[in-house]
Amino acid sequence: PVLVTTPPTQRLVVGRPFSFDASLGGTTVTDPDGDPLTWAVVYSGGPGSAAARPPGLTISGTVISGTPTEAAGWQIRVSANDARSGGVVTYTIDLVIAPNSPPVLVKPTTARMLAIGERFDSDLTQNGTVFRDPDGDTLTYSVVLRGQAGSFTTSGTQITGALSAVGAMEVTVSAQDGFNPPVRDVFLIAAAAPLPVSSCASGGPWV
């Protein structure tokens, strides 16, 4: 057998599904005589004992798959054997499992000033642009209203309503990826007192 190519380092993230064929579909090694190859994939290095394996990952044939649960560095050894005198070809692949990163608040919501009774209707995630998850994890959201809630109601991340009097309401939107503490966007919705209406005194004829 002849080694054609060695796969590059595989970078994984805790909590993210992973699947990789360590033979690249049987193309990393070829046999000049056309003999069928027998493949073996084993873990050859990592934290702990030699028998240890990355938690959450399994090997089936030449495919490594699963969802890693711990950050660490590992190495796998792949061998291809033609069962003849040609011998065995062996190569290694590094697996780097990184911690899961928390969501990031990328577009904080600014305070909103409304007139008393003015209707406010908005998606509090701004169509999913307020938060971003570096690992691509699906985010779940929660909304908490504090203060003068007035007639405001929420449905998911949609908020609708109006302030019925002078005052302010604090809105907290939390985003969570299932692996890290929630990240919050906090802003105010307020209604100020109307400006006084000026008036001119009426009287006798202007001179």
Side-chain angles (χ1 to χ4, degrees):
V2 177
L3 178 63
V4 177
T5 184
T6 300
T9 296
Q10 298 300 298
R11 302 190 182 280
L12 297 73
V13 176
V14 170
R16 297 289 294 170
F18 174 79
S19 181
F20 177 70
D21 182 352
S23 74
L24 298 182
T27 63
T28 54
V29 177
T30 62
D31 189 273
D33 304 317
D35 297 327
L37 298 175
T38 299
W39 296 84
V41 180
V42 296
Y43 294 109
S44 62
S49 67
R53 62 185 57 196
L57 297 182
T58 60
I59 295 176
S60 177
T62 59
V63 176
I64 307 160
S65 63
T67 303
T69 59
E70 295 180 7
W74 295 82
Q75 192 174 75
I76 59 173
R77 184 174 69 248
V78 184
S79 61
N81 188 344
D82 66 358
R84 295 177 183 270
S85 59
V88 179
V89 171
T90 301
Y91 59 90
T92 59
I93 305 172
D94 291 324
L95 302 181
V96 178
I97 307 174
N100 194 286
S101 300
V104 179
L105 176 61
V106 294
K107 191 178 178 182
T109 306
T110 57
R112 294 297 300 270
M113 184 64 69
L114 307 176
I116 294 174
E118 179 183 351
R119 183 177 176 80
F120 181 77
D121 190 343
S122 178
D123 172 16
L124 295 174
T125 69
Q126 299 181 44
N127 295 319
T129 62
V130 172
F131 301 94
R132 180 180 63 83
D133 191 271
D135 305 315
D137 296 325
T138 299
L139 299 179
T140 57
Y141 301 97
S142 61
V143 179
V144 175
L145 307 179
R146 296 184 179 88
Q148 183 185 314
S151 60
F152 279 97
T153 59
T154 58
S155 177
T157 59
Q158 192 74 23
I159 184 171
T160 305
L163 291 173
S164 57
V166 175
M169 177 180 67
E170 183 185 79
V171 181
T172 301
V173 185
S174 299
Q176 193 163 18
D177 63 358
F179 303 98
N180 297 282
V183 176
R184 296 178 174 86
D185 180 30
V186 183
F187 66 97
L188 293 177
I189 297 176
L195 295 174
V197 178
S198 60
S199 60
C200 295
S202 59
W206 294 96
V207 184

